[in-house]
């Protein structure tokens, strides 16, 4: 039966859901509060420079291929992909770095050169990681998180011990070199929790990294957003921007309409791809599934302090993706998860998209994105932003042996207050809810409201979790659930 479905938000999960629901024959309308679509994956253009405001890593290309294949399409129908070579570079000190190649064989050789015998160990570790990836991405994550039985298969029963150990413990059993340990622990940070709180089974992220490689869509990640918008429009979806949702209206325990820019718009089904906590504040208290204390108890993925910087020259000794791990990770992690506060000496990440993509910056100039992971819910001031910017620029200059501060044309920043203002993000989180053991699959906030009929949720605070590929999957899962319950 054809339904009138209204979707709140236009991030990856909401756009994915809109495509699946329109394909199923429903009338689908998307409402985005901001002036442009994409949710956290928006774009900044300034003085000839182009920056991805949100995600900059394109991992798990198979998930994108599977999404477009569901509509008889391929990513290449909409955007061009380039595999990065090298994938990324990790700095540990002055003139002390490890470059991660674009293929596993070369990475094994890199490990062996750093720690004798570790090449063979890495090959074995990656075989297990690939096995986990095949189980997780080809099967488990495409479950709606309704029942714990979704996790019980012949394959997962063989690996049950991996759900009760953790990445940090496993990596340290196999490797002694601190640099290699940090590189192997890095991918699970995309899941939003410390490696010591992330089940061993999530080593599949190492296969996503070393096995499948790091890619770049021409013109940045926003190309993927535009591709999904084009697909959605081709399928008949209607998209409205500058539309603020102030209320989800409920009558007799059923979602019946939205209040959009003060106007009541009727709906047979309401689906929210906006922040889950914020979405529930659009309901009267008695219609909310989760209390404030519930959200307070949860482990949230970090927020970020981001800078978008235009340089008037090319930056040397860096790769498209560069990680700066020259300080103690455990101390920084404690400032995010254990005792939330601004870190004294933060690790940081830098992306220089103009190393790969000529469209990212004018000729002879460099576009740079800097990211410092921070705890959600802490204070955010302009003075703090400026202090940390100066600190990481000093370290960049020191570690890469060059002067760059005087070459800055402009800088724009984005932090907790902006995540709250632009995305209604709970405590200003950037990545959603962490994938710890007790926040996995059926233990995450549900795709379907148990209190309000015809109200559904999608995105990084629900199933399957944080990240762009999981967001695409979340959109598919909720669309299937809606079809099942119509």
């Amino acid at each position: 039966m054809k339904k009138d479905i209204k979707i709140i938000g236009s991030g990856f999960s909401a756009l994915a859901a809109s495509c699946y629901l329109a394909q199923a024959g429903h009338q689908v309308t998307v409402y985005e509060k901001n002036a442009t679509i994409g949710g956290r994956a928006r774009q900044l253009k300034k003085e000839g420079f182009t920056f991805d405001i949100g995600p900059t890593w394109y991992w798990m290309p198979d998930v994108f291929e599977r999404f477009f294949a569901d509509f008889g399409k391929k990513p290449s129908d909409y955007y061009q992909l380039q595999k990065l070579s090298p994938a990324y570079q990790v700095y540990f000190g002055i003139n002390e770095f490890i470059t991660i190649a674009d293929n596993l064989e070369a990475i094994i050789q890199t490990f062996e050169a750093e720690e004798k015998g570790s090449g063979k160990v890495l090959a074995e570790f990656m075989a297990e990681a690939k096995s986990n990836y095949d189980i997780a991405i080809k099967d488990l994550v495409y479950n709606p998180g309704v029942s714990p039985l979704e996790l019980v298969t012949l394959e997962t029963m063989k690996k049950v011990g991996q759900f009760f150990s953790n990445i940090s413990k496993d990596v340290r059993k196999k490797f002694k070199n601190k640099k290699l340990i940090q590189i192997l622990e890095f991918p699970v940070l995309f899941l939003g929790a410390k490696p010591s709180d992330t089940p061993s089974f999530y080593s599949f992220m190492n296969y996503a990294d070393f096995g499948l490689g790091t890619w770049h869509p021409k013109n940045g990640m926003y190309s993927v957003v535009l591709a999904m918008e084009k697909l959605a429009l081709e399928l008949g979806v209607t998209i409205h921007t500058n539309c603020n949702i102030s209320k989800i209206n409920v009558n007799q325990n059923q979602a019946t309409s939205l209040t959009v820019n003060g106007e009541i718009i009727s709906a047979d089904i309401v689906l929210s791809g906006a922040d889950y906590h914020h979405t529930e504040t659009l309901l009267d208290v008695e219609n909310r599934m989760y209390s404030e204390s519930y959200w307070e108890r949860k482990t949230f993925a970090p927020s970020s302090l981001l800078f978008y910087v235009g340089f008037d020259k090319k930056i040397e000794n860096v790769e498209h993706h560069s990680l700066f791990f020259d300080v103690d990770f455990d101390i920084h992690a404690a400032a995010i998860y254990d005792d939330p506060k601004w870190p004294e000496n933060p690790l940081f990440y830098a992306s220089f998209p103009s190393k790969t993509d000529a469209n990212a910056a004018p000729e002879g100039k460099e576009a740079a994105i800097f990211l410092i992971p921070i705890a959600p819910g802490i204070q955010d001031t302009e003075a703090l932003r400026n202090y940390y910017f100066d600190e990481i620029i000093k370290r960049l200059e020191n570690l890469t042996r060059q002067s760059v501060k005087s070459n800055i044309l402009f800088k724009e920043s984005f932090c907790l207050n902006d995540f709250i203002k632009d995305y209604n993000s709970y405590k200003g989180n950037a990545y959603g809810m962490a994938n710890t053991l007790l926040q996995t699959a059926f233990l995450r906030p549900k795709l379907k409201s148990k209190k309000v009929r015809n109200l559904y949720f999608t995105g990084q605070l629900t199933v399957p979790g944080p990240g762009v590929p999981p967001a695409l999957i979340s959109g598919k899962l909720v669309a299937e659930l809606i079809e099942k319950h119509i």
Side-chain angles (χ1 to χ4, degrees):
M1 185 185 298
K2 184 177 179 180
K3 296 289 185 181
D4 180 9
I5 302 175
K6 301 295 197 290
I7 299 180
I8 305 172
S10 66
F12 283 111
S13 59
L15 287 175
S18 77
C19 291
Y20 286 110
L21 291 166
Q23 183 188 49
H26 302 295
Q27 181 181 323
V28 182
T29 308
V30 172
Y31 295 97
E32 167 57 51
K33 76 182 282 285
N34 292 308
T36 57
I37 65 162
R40 284 165 164 80
R42 292 183 300 156
Q43 199 175 56
L44 169 66
K45 292 194 173 195
K46 184 169 181 174
E47 296 180 23
F49 292 81
T50 302
F51 306 89
D52 281 314
I53 291 178
T56 56
W57 292 79
Y58 191 104
W59 271 8
M60 304 185 189
D62 52 323
V63 175
F64 294 87
E65 288 163 9
R66 183 166 171 175
F67 168 76
F68 284 104
D70 284 341
F71 303 94
K73 303 286 187 180
K74 303 186 295 293
S76 58
D77 293 331
Y78 298 97
Y79 54 89
Q80 297 174 33
L81 271 182
Q82 177 180 344
K83 192 174 189 183
L84 295 183
S85 180
Y88 55 91
Q89 187 163 272
V90 188
Y91 268 94
F92 297 97
I94 299 172
N95 203 29
E96 187 182 359
F97 57 85
I98 292 178
T99 302
I100 300 300
D102 66 348
N103 65 90
L104 181 55
E105 293 75 17
I107 298 169
I108 287 171
Q109 291 172 16
T110 297
F111 269 55
E112 184 64 29
E114 193 67 33
E115 179 185 334
K116 190 170 176 55
S118 67
K120 181 174 182 292
V121 177
L122 179 63
E124 293 167 353
F125 179 79
M126 290 303 298
E128 182 74 19
K130 182 183 186 305
S131 170
N132 289 354
Y133 189 90
D134 289 342
I135 294 167
I137 304 303
K138 294 177 182 175
D139 187 13
L140 288 187
V141 296
Y142 283 91
N143 284 310
V146 173
S147 164
L149 294 177
E150 293 170 1
L151 298 178
V152 181
T153 68
L154 285 173
E155 290 80 7
T156 56
M157 291 308 293
K158 295 172 190 172
K159 296 174 180 282
V160 68
Q162 292 189 34
F163 288 93
F164 299 98
S165 184
N166 64 67
I167 291 287
S168 184
K169 190 184 295 183
D170 279 12
V171 168
R172 281 166 169 76
K173 276 183 192 171
K174 295 175 169 63
F175 302 89
K176 303 305 174 195
N177 182 285
K178 188 177 179 182
K179 297 176 197 170
L180 301 185
I181 288 169
Q182 282 192 278
I183 289 171
L184 286 168
E185 288 183 339
F186 154 67
V188 302
L189 299 179
F190 284 96
L191 301 171
K194 290 192 293 187
S196 57
D197 291 331
T198 303
S200 302
F201 183 74
Y202 283 101
S203 68
F204 66 73
M205 290 298 292
N206 293 107
Y207 179 72
D209 179 1
F210 291 173
L212 297 176
T214 303
W215 300 74
H216 175 74
K218 186 177 180 182
N219 297 323
M221 288 294 287
Y222 201 65
S223 294
V224 186
V225 173
L226 295 177
M228 295 178 73
E229 177 192 37
K230 188 167 188 287
L231 175 61
L233 295 175
E234 289 168 352
L235 292 164
V237 176
T238 301
I239 300 174
H240 297 296
T241 54
N242 295 308
C243 287
N244 184 56
I245 310 295
S246 56
K247 185 79 173 173
I248 298 172
N249 302 301
V250 177
N251 184 23
Q252 296 182 334
N253 297 324
Q254 180 167 316
T256 57
S257 63
L258 297 174
T259 302
V260 183
N261 292 343
E263 179 186 356
I264 294 177
I265 308 289
S266 65
D268 295 327
I269 291 169
V270 171
L271 166 60
S272 178
D275 179 274
Y276 205 123
H277 169 270
H278 169 72
T279 302
E280 288 225 301
T281 69
L282 303 177
L283 296 162
D284 292 331
V285 174
E286 64 269 20
N287 292 321
R288 299 172 190 173
M289 281 195 295
Y290 304 107
S291 65
E292 288 298 319
S293 62
Y294 169 89
W295 296 109
E296 281 289 339
R297 291 193 305 270
K298 293 302 169 184
T299 300
F300 272 78
S303 188
S304 301
L305 170 55
L306 290 142
F307 297 101
Y308 311 98
V309 185
F311 290 97
D312 68 4
K313 70 171 186 178
K314 302 302 287 185
I315 306 301
E316 299 174 353
N317 305 326
V318 292
E319 297 295 342
H320 182 130
H321 294 301
S322 298
L323 304 168
F324 294 86
F325 287 1
D326 54 308
V327 298
D328 193 306
F329 168 76
D330 292 332
I331 294 175
H332 186 170
I336 296 174
Y337 297 103
D338 304 333
D339 178 21
K341 61 185 177 183
W342 281 91
E344 286 186 28
N345 294 302
L347 288 78
F348 68 97
Y349 153 68
S351 172
F352 301 92
S354 43
K355 293 287 177 192
T356 303
D357 199 329
N359 296 327
E363 189 175 352
K365 299 179 182 180
E366 201 86 88
I369 301 164
F370 297 95
L371 182 153
I372 301 174
I374 58 173
I378 59 177
Q379 185 185 33
D380 172 17
T381 67
E382 198 63 31
L384 280 166
R385 296 187 190 197
N386 290 331
Y387 169 78
Y388 280 93
F389 181 74
D390 288 342
E391 288 298 301
I392 63 172
I393 289 297
K394 281 181 206 166
R395 276 170 53 202
L396 174 71
E397 291 183 321
N398 189 39
L399 291 166
T400 63
R401 307 178 311 286
Q402 64 191 309
S403 172
V404 301
K405 189 168 186 180
S406 61
N407 299 98
I408 294 172
L409 294 169
F410 63 84
K411 81 171 187 335
E412 299 281 348
S413 64
F414 198 95
C415 197
L416 292 153
N417 294 343
D418 302 298
F419 280 103
I420 293 168
K421 177 175 67 74
D422 288 2
Y423 311 130
N424 297 308
S425 170
Y426 180 70
K427 291 188 176 181
N429 80 83
Y431 304 107
M433 189 183 288
N435 259 341
T436 61
L437 178 62
L438 297 178
Q439 294 182 176
T440 293
F442 67 98
L443 296 173
R444 296 182 70 80
K446 301 300 182 187
L447 292 167
K448 185 180 188 298
S449 173
K450 290 182 177 179
K451 288 198 170 184
V452 179
R453 293 194 307 277
N454 294 342
L455 175 60
Y456 296 82
F457 302 84
T458 187
Q460 58 188 5
L461 266 69
T462 182
V463 181
V468 177
L472 297 182
I473 295 168
S474 186
K476 179 183 175 78
L477 294 177
V478 75
E480 291 175 343
L481 204 60
I482 289 170
E483 279 294 288
K484 181 179 177 182
H485 287 109
I486 286 175

